[in-house]
């Protein structure tokens, strides 16, 4: 199959697989969630288990009335109960993606991380994967972590690289991702312990820990994404100027990259949590409608592969 | 006088002041430095003291031959000698701006930071100030620190805010900068000690430590620069969506912002070092010719006010 280079190819790819994912939604009570659910049903990419809180079932009921073959409703007492029940649907294998509706991310994550009834992979770390489509680059750009891990340790970088290369392959269908380990300079030094972690990650990659990858760094964002900058600096690597994946040095850089890409770069960004048994979609109010829909589509594609 | 909203207004403003700055250049031996010096002379914004290393004086001699009234040459034995001599011209008051030519930044900074013969303000910290002109925002966007201080302490944030508000007023002519203290979320917490520094900076600002400013945060880059994002989050402040200045939480975020703005946002960025007795221009090979020229123009304007 052709690799995927943009977000709008995701729904079509999902349909071509001939399987439908079931998504459990905690607290579907706002118009944004309603829009994403409805669009996903209409574009034939998912069915839904809507876990709705008593007194706030209007959206869920409307969706059930209009799409009775694609929607199931589960009643919940309050937000925390809804989070527990939505997570339980995943835990029991009845849903393959979890999605946040009108509930605080913290409340949802408490249920996700619960030791007995949660869905964190044992011994795993929770991390966020972002997928950017930009007018400047002719392929999707994956990056992590922009939202969960403040200042990754070596173990956390190791988890990030494992999840993001795996997710990249599942979603784009490209076998060998080009991974840039980003940092403000090209130097490895004790002053920046994260660069020492990067050295270890490169050694791990050479031992095929992450499967087939091209990996290089430290290098800055411009060197990773712009061939000319790399040439000027005299750095030669298949990754330079052609990165598919950017590993961000910390959450401040990751968040800044995310926000600057959307605001100044005209990018559309999808995102999901990884480290859980299934992808978790945690969009925020400030995300665009497209961004929310493509996040769900990307999560569904990841769930199917 | 009208405030300045873009980089191309800088040369005209300099000319309107009727004074010419003298710039000391360490190692003017490459075509980029030559171009910036020549353009600055032609646009009547500066005169030059060119400190050239023996055997590498071709560029300096050519400039002296063509612009004898605006160029002086000083001979140096090697790069370190050139750095010392260029810094000494500033130290003795014969130059009001220092500029890096074909010399490693580290070598130049060693001379700048020298205790007896250097030009660091006593008890001061060295920091970098960037000035971005973007197609998306109708005014200049100042930010710091993208290049020097890895993870600022409260004392370093205090210095950064002092220098950048001062530099902002000198260059734009606007009296009351709107300063956003940026971070990946809006929360103040022990988990991110930089947010505790921000609280102290806001208290200092309320006590007029930085003169007249509007200051707010923590907030992310999008909230700082996009009114709609702020509204969605229910955050109300004159800074939200209208920031003139972004204080970056660390060098990783600052560098990422810098590189992402230029590569994905089509921005032109000028920059200079602060914390020294005069502005220091330290452009790098990857900067565009415009970026280098405007860096010098901004430094000259800062030097005059």
């Amino acid at each position: 199959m052709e690799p995927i280079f943009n977000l709008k190819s995701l729904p079509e790819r999902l349909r071509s697989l001939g399987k439908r994912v079931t998504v459990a939604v905690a607290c579907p009570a706002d118009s944004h969630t309603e829009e994403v659910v409805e669009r996903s049903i209409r574009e034939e990419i998912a069915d839904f288990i809507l876990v709705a809180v008593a007194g706030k079932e209007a959206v869920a009921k409307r969706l059930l009335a209009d799409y009775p073959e694609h929607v199931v409703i589960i009643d919940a007492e309050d937000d925390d109960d809804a989070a527990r029940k939505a997570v339980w649907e995943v835990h029991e294998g009845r849903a393959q993606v979890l999605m946040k509706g009108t509930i605080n991310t913290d409340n949802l994550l408490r249920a996700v991380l619960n030791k007995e009834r949660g869905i964190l992979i044992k011994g795993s770390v929770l991390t966020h994967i972002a997928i950017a489509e930009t007018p400047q680059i002719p392929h999707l750009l994956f990056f992590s972590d922009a939202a969960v891990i403040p200042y990754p340790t070596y173990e956390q970088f190791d988890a990030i690289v494992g999840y993001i290369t795996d997710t990249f392959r599942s979603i784009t269908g490209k076998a060998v991702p080009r991974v840039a380990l980003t940092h403000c300079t090209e130097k490895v030094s004790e002053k920046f312990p994260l660069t020492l972690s990067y050295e270890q990650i490169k050694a791990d990659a050479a031992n095929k820990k992450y499967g087939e990858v091209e990996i290089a760094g430290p290098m800055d964002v411009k060197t990773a994404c712009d061939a000319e900058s790399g040439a000027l600096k005299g750095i030669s690597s298949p990754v330079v100027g052609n990165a598919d994946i950017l590993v961000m040095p910390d959450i401040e850089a990751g968040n800044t990259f995310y926000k600057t890409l959307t605001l100044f770069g005209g990018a559309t960004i999808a995102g999901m949590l990884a480290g859980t048994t299934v992808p978790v979609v945690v969009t925020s109010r400030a995300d665009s409608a497209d961004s929310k829909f493509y996040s769900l589509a990307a999560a569904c594609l990841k769930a199917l592969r």
Side-chain angles (χ1 to χ4, degrees), chain A residues 41-57:
Chain A
I41 295 171
R42 283 168 174 269
E43 298 208 14
E44 301 172 20
I45 67 171
D47 293 332
F48 290 87
I49 299 171
L50 304 177
V51 187
V53 173
K56 297 176 184 170
E57 316 97 327

Side-chain angles (χ1 to χ4, degrees), chain A residues 18 47 74-75 104 131 136 154 159 161 185 190 218 225 247 257 271:
Chain A
D47 293 332
I74 292 179
D75 299 323
N104 282 328
I131 310 169
Q136 299 82 11
Y154 159 69
V161 174
T185 77
E190 304 264 348
C225 297
V247 174
F257 188 57

Side-chain angles (χ1 to χ4, degrees), chain A residues 194-235:
Chain A
L194 69 98
T195 61
L196 306 180
S197 297
Y198 283 177
E199 288 302 283
Q200 185 59 47
I201 295 291
K202 284 189 289 182
D204 294 345
N207 290 326
K208 306 287 178 201
K209 187 169 185 180
Y210 313 111
E212 289 294 325
V213 292
E214 297 278 2
I215 195 162
M219 68 177 78
D220 65 37
V221 165
K222 205 169 172 185
T223 308
C225 297
D226 178 47
E228 203 183 327
S229 303
L232 264 169
K233 292 192 175 189
I235 306 170

Side-chain angles (χ1 to χ4, degrees), chain A residues 24-291:
Chain A
V25 185
C27 306
D30 62 307
S31 61
H32 291 101
T33 307
E34 183 176 20
E35 191 185 328
V36 170
V37 170
E38 182 154 20
R39 186 168 167 191
S40 301
I41 295 171
R42 283 168 174 269
E43 298 208 14
E44 301 172 20
I45 67 171
D47 293 332
F48 290 87
I49 299 171
L50 304 177
V51 187
V53 173
K56 297 176 184 170
E57 316 97 327
V59 165
K61 283 185 173 167
R62 206 277 292 170
L63 288 164
L64 175 63
D66 286 358
Y67 307 99
E69 291 176 17
H70 301 291
V71 170
V72 170
I73 292 183
I74 292 179
D75 299 323
E77 288 171 25
D78 55 26
D79 284 6
D80 284 322
D81 189 42
R84 276 191 299 271
K85 284 176 171 165
V87 167
W88 189 248
E89 292 303 297
V90 171
H91 192 278
E92 294 298 288
R94 291 186 291 267
Q96 295 81 47
V97 167
L98 178 66
M99 180 176 157
K100 175 191 145 176
T102 320
I103 179 174
N104 282 328
T105 303
D106 289 353
N107 291 40
L108 184 62
L109 288 188
R110 223 174 4 250
V112 166
L113 299 175
N114 183 284
K115 284 209 174 116
E116 277 83 45
R117 302 174 64 88
I119 54 171
L120 192 71
I121 296 168
K122 208 176 157 154
S124 180
V125 298
L126 195 70
T127 172
H128 183 268
I129 293 173
I131 310 169
E133 180 178 322
T134 70
Q136 299 82 11
I137 289 188
H139 56 82
L140 294 173
L141 194 58
F142 284 54
F143 62 99
S144 180
D145 184 325
V148 178
I149 304 173
Y151 304 100
T153 59
Y154 159 69
E155 286 73 19
Q156 290 169 322
F157 277 122
D158 174 48
I160 286 170
V161 174
Y163 295 137
I164 201 165
T165 50
D166 182 43
T167 303
F168 174 85
R169 291 187 192 100
S170 298
I171 291 177
T172 67
K174 281 169 73 178
V176 187
R178 292 160 299 198
V179 182
L181 304 170
T182 72
H183 174 50
C184 57
T185 77
E186 282 74 44
K187 286 185 202 120
V188 172
S189 81
E190 304 264 348
K191 200 169 136 197
F192 290 99
L194 69 98
T195 61
L196 306 180
S197 297
Y198 283 177
E199 288 302 283
Q200 185 59 47
I201 295 291
K202 284 189 289 182
D204 294 345
N207 290 326
K208 306 287 178 201
K209 187 169 185 180
Y210 313 111
E212 289 294 325
V213 292
E214 297 278 2
I215 195 162
M219 68 177 78
D220 65 37
V221 165
K222 205 169 172 185
T223 308
C225 297
D226 178 47
E228 203 183 327
S229 303
L232 264 169
K233 292 192 175 189
I235 306 170
S236 169
S237 149
V239 178
V240 166
N242 282 307
D244 294 305
I245 293 175
L246 304 185
V247 174
M248 304 305 299
D250 67 27
I251 197 172
E252 303 293 358
N255 185 275
T256 297
F257 188 57
Y258 192 117
K259 303 297 165 65
T260 309
L261 270 188
T262 51
L263 186 55
F264 293 90
T268 302
I269 304 191
M272 70 183 80
L273 297 180
T276 41
T277 58
V278 305
V280 178
V281 177
V282 194
T283 54
S284 79
R285 284 168 302 168
D287 289 327
S288 70
D290 270 355
S291 173

